[in-house]
Amino acid sequence: MARIWSLRHYFLLAFAVVYIQANEEDGITVETVEDDVYQTPNIDPKKVYLAEHFDDVSAFNKRWVKSEAKKQGVDENIAKYDGKWEIQAPSRKLLKNDLGLVLTTEAKHAAIATLLDKLFEFMDRPLVVQYEVTMQEGQNCGGAYIKLLSKGIKSKADLKQFYDQTPYTIMFGPDKCGNDNKLHFIFRHKNPKNGTIEEKHAKKPTLRLDDIYKDKEPHLYTLVVRPDNSFTIYIDNKEANSGSLLEDFTPAVNPPEEIDDPNDKKPEDWDEREKIVDPTATKPEDWDETAPAQIVDPNAVKPEGWLDDEPEMIPDPEAVKPSDWEDEMDGEWEAPLIENPKCSSAPGCGEWKPPVIPNPNYKGVWRAPLITNPNYRGKWSPRRIANPDYFKDDHPFRMTPITAVGFELWSMSPALLFDNLIVTDDENLAAAWAAQTFALKRDRISSQAESLVERGLKFAGENPWVYAVVIIVSFIMVGVIAYMCCGPRTPDVDAEIKKTDAVVEDDPHQSEGEQPGEGEGQAEEQEEREGKRGKSELEGADSETEPAEPKQVDTEGAGDGQRKRKPRKE
Ligand SMILES: *[C@@H]1O[C@H](CO)[C@@H](O)[C@H](O)[C@H]1NC(C)=O
């Protein structure tokens, strides 16, 4: 944690805070840097199945179709797909002339789709789907995933009827509700034996997903599925999940070869008891079940000097009846009781009773001992038989061809922005496309942060008091971080040791009882710290944003590896 959040970061952040505070008073806002670093990318349409940058409104209007369908089986008021889709500049403008597709409405069903330029068939080339999502107002509950629609959807008229039941081949992308942060990759597999279609869900991603739902920044989602049945998912070019269509999906593509015979039943006389009560054992003659657990100590003697006739408490001889006491109203006055002073020097006062001790002859209820069951036959399990539904599909990659893509969503947060969608069979081409679009945005985000700091420094140069504020703020922040990271432990431990010692003197049970709770608290604290560390790692990853790349997309598709991904298996 300390390594990632170096002191430099604190100073930069502190400068930024002070700078913004100081400028807000003057009504100066930090304006967006705009220049022409971005140009709408050009791509050879022959190389892709779809490449949509959403910068050209009229082209968009020609090819995309908004759904006019109704969702089945939901309340009539919300059944219509009437969520609004608009082509808009992002609310945080990063690149001049860059537009995106925005779902502007919340809490409405919304669907929009377009036909691919050509049919995607799952043959000997990988499927690569990549797009950007900016959750401009974060996300509380809702999806931002894409559906790759199956052959059968042929026309714009079909797209007008796009709804939740429209057959898709793959569903991919983010989805969240409450604390359930997902990144879906679902494919629909056709049972080769009887043609039934079943959804297969990929295992959980390995990257933490919190940030994409709350940082309001653009994130790039890439899915690559290969003819050898392997797949990889990237978020912002970082691997988020990978595996095999055959091994990493539930339910598994291929059913088990053998199953339990459903007709095999456990025989009536099957004895599964490993131990039984010894039937031959009898209670010994001298076993007295009635002997009490405790008895009065027969050897106890009354201590010398015990004052049998002195009560432990006596009326206070010095007390006087208050002058305003009225016996009629207040009852008869009695002096308050105090400890009898005579008892303090004697071993005890009042009636002496001998103490109670455990009874040495106590036996309790007699139970027969357990012995090994001579009729034990082990745990019963049904016979295994060949699975009648068994099949083996070695090529789940060969999915139903894709003719269209679309978003069919419900979102409780408005202003989801989609951008730079590409469907291709060439990973390098997708990488080059991202280098001209997404990478520029990430660069711009980091350079905006830098320029804010630069301007902060200049401002501080002109207003030296800023340094004092920065130093104070930094101290406070370092203090807070140090406290969150390691602070509470040391004082806590000391305090606990003292507390425990004190308690032990009084009552040993009490201190025992406290310790588990204390342990829990530490575990929580530990967890929390780990959570923060995990988050910092992800934040750290952001700073690895790649530099801007040449503007022309590599239309040869040769892909000079512009993207610094780890080498992929082909
Ligand atoms: C097809 O087989 C699967 C089991 O492999 C079964 O669950 C499903 O009900 C079958 N569908 C039909 C239409 O027979």
Side-chain angles (χ1 to χ4, degrees):
M1 185 159 170
R3 197 158 38 89
I4 295 160
W5 272 90
S6 69
L7 211 58
R8 182 174 154 266
H9 284 92
Y10 294 121
F11 273 100
L12 296 187
L13 196 57
F15 265 120
V17 169
V18 171
Y19 179 72
I20 291 168
Q21 290 299 321
N23 275 310
E24 263 179 8
E25 284 163 24
D26 304 341
I28 305 167
T29 51
V30 184
E31 85 275 21
T32 315
V33 193
E34 283 210 25
D35 55 35
D36 54 3
V37 64
Y38 171 75
Q39 282 171 14
T40 295
N42 245 323
I43 205 159
D44 180 354
K46 287 198 206 79
K47 298 265 175 196
V48 296
Y49 295 83
L50 176 75
E52 176 60 86
H53 44 63
F54 296 112
D55 289 349
D56 181 342
V57 180
S58 70
F60 165 81
N61 285 334
K62 270 185 213 132
R63 74 169 301 159
W64 287 80
V65 179
K66 294 170 192 173
S67 171
E68 294 167 12
K70 265 191 181 182
K71 195 175 166 116
Q72 307 296 309
V74 297
D75 189 289
E76 185 67 17
N77 293 326
I78 54 161
K80 260 197 194 155
Y81 280 86
D82 58 357
K84 293 239 169 348
W85 299 94
E86 313 271 1
I87 297 297
Q88 290 181 348
S91 51
R92 179 183 180 184
K93 288 188 194 68
L94 294 166
L95 305 172
K96 198 174 170 185
N97 299 329
D98 179 35
L99 303 178
L101 170 64
V102 181
L103 175 56
T104 58
T105 48
E106 65 199 72
K108 283 176 181 298
H109 290 288
I112 192 165
T114 183
L115 296 171
L116 294 182
D117 297 338
K118 59 191 178 200
L119 182 75
F120 184 94
E121 290 183 282
F122 293 84
M123 311 278 277
D124 53 359
R125 300 282 305 161
L127 168 72
V128 183
V129 184
Q130 177 176 283
Y131 68 109
E132 259 173 55
V133 181
T134 311
M135 298 174 187
Q136 301 187 104
E137 300 195 9
Q139 181 58 283
N140 291 324
C141 183
Y145 43 81
I146 193 164
K147 284 183 173 178
L148 310 182
L149 304 181
S150 304
K151 189 174 72 177
I153 302 293
K154 294 192 186 68
S155 65
K156 286 189 164 186
D158 293 337
L159 297 183
K160 264 194 186 155
Q161 295 311 312
F162 180 26
Y163 73 138
D164 61 321
Q165 300 295 313
T166 304
Y168 66 86
T169 298
I170 286 178
M171 180 173 136
F172 166 61
D175 191 15
K176 167 192 172 110
C177 209
N179 291 325
D180 191 8
N181 298 336
K182 289 198 182 111
L183 183 66
H184 291 295
F185 170 25
I186 303 170
F187 72 96
R188 292 172 81 241
H189 179 255
K190 189 166 171 181
N191 180 330
K193 246 184 143 159
N194 65 12
T196 307
I197 302 242
E198 197 171 57
E199 281 182 7
K200 308 292 176 184
H201 294 244
K203 67 181 164 71
K204 283 204 164 85
T206 48
L207 268 193
R208 276 174 64 93
L209 300 175
D210 302 30
D211 285 13
I212 60 171
Y213 291 106
K214 59 178 189 218
D215 66 10
K216 305 179 183 178
E217 290 183 1
H219 291 288
L220 184 71
Y221 301 91
T222 309
L223 169 68
V224 184
V225 196
R226 305 181 191 83
D228 67 359
N229 301 315
S230 69
F231 78 91
T232 310
I233 292 170
Y234 303 91
I235 300 178
D236 303 343
N237 298 321
K238 271 184 77 131
E239 186 174 311
N241 203 354
S242 67
S244 155
L245 300 180
L246 284 165
E247 283 150 31
D248 300 301
F249 284 75
T250 15
V253 168
N254 291 313
E257 241 172 303
E258 280 194 339
I259 55 165
D260 288 348
D261 182 352
N263 299 320
D264 193 14
K265 296 270 176 294
K266 182 163 88 172
E268 294 275 309
D269 63 347
W270 190 284
D271 197 340
E272 282 187 328
R273 295 170 305 157
E274 205 172 337
K275 297 271 181 190
I276 53 165
V277 169
D278 183 354
T280 63
T282 49
K283 183 165 87 170
E285 291 282 304
D286 61 348
W287 190 290
D288 180 6
E289 289 185 340
T290 61
Q294 294 200 307
I295 51 165
V296 168
D297 184 355
N299 300 320
V301 274
K302 181 159 74 175
E304 195 91 5
W306 191 278
L307 305 173
D308 299 69
D309 299 328
E310 285 293 336
E312 279 180 64
M313 303 294 283
I314 53 163
D316 186 352
E318 280 165 27
V320 273
K321 182 170 163 179
S323 57
D324 58 351
W325 189 279
E326 290 179 34
D327 284 357
E328 274 176 26
M329 294 273 290
D330 305 323
E332 196 183 334
W333 183 79
E334 280 171 20
L337 294 179
I338 57 160
E339 276 173 33
N340 186 345
K342 285 181 191 155
C343 298
S344 62
S345 50
C349 284
E351 188 195 348
W352 179 81
K353 284 193 193 125
V356 167
I357 56 162
N359 181 0
N361 297 320
Y362 172 70
K363 291 220 154 112
V365 178
W366 181 83
R367 284 177 218 278
L370 292 179
I371 55 161
T372 303
N373 179 2
N375 299 322
Y376 176 59
R377 292 176 70 183
K379 278 268 165 284
W380 183 84
S381 59
R383 186 185 324 126
R384 299 285 286 174
I385 55 164
N387 181 358
D389 295 327
Y390 180 71
F391 60 79
K392 190 145 189 284
D393 179 355
D394 288 322
H395 305 285
F397 175 75
R398 295 182 191 158
M399 301 176 198
T400 312
I402 298 164
T403 52
V405 301
F407 300 102
E408 187 271 304
L409 302 172
W410 167 271
S411 169
M412 291 307 291
S413 299
L416 296 181
L417 182 138
F418 300 86
D419 207 356
N420 302 316
L421 165 61
I422 187 168
V423 180
T424 172
D425 57 13
D426 182 345
E427 280 191 65
N428 291 319
L429 195 66
W433 170 264
Q436 286 189 39
T437 53
F438 175 71
L440 299 183
K441 291 184 196 179
R442 296 298 328 180
D443 276 359
R444 185 48 56 80
I445 287 170
S446 21
S447 69
Q448 274 184 0
E450 289 287 328
S451 94
L452 190 64
V453 170
E454 268 166 34
R455 287 194 274 171
L457 286 168
K458 185 162 168 278
F459 181 79
E462 291 156 10
N463 302 273
W465 56 265
V466 169
Y467 286 107
V469 176
V470 165
I471 287 164
I472 292 165
V473 170
S474 300
F475 266 109
I476 293 169
M477 286 164 89
V478 169
V480 167
I481 300 288
Y483 178 81
M484 287 188 334
C485 138
C486 351
R489 283 193 91 186
T490 329
D492 258 18
V493 169
D494 288 345
E496 283 309 331
I497 288 168
K498 279 189 207 123
K499 190 165 137 205
T500 312
D501 286 347
V503 169
V504 165
E505 282 167 16
D506 286 333
D507 177 2
H509 302 292
Q510 205 174 328
S511 77
E512 271 166 33
E514 264 177 32
Q515 269 154 1
E518 193 186 314
E520 266 165 41
Q522 281 178 3
E524 269 165 35
E525 200 185 296
Q526 175 76 19
E527 231 167 68
E528 199 183 313
R529 261 180 278 130
E530 276 167 6
K532 282 192 188 108
R533 195 178 309 133
K535 185 163 167 253
S536 305
E537 272 162 23
L538 209 63
E539 283 165 357
D542 276 357
S543 64
E544 290 169 18
T545 317
E546 288 100 44
E549 296 294 344
K551 282 188 195 94
Q552 189 54 44
V553 168
D554 173 16
T555 47
E556 288 316 296
D560 39 22
Q562 280 148 315
R563 213 187 303 203
K564 282 189 236 151
R565 275 182 192 163
K566 275 185 237 153
R568 300 177 189 174
K569 288 179 282 176
E570 279 292 340

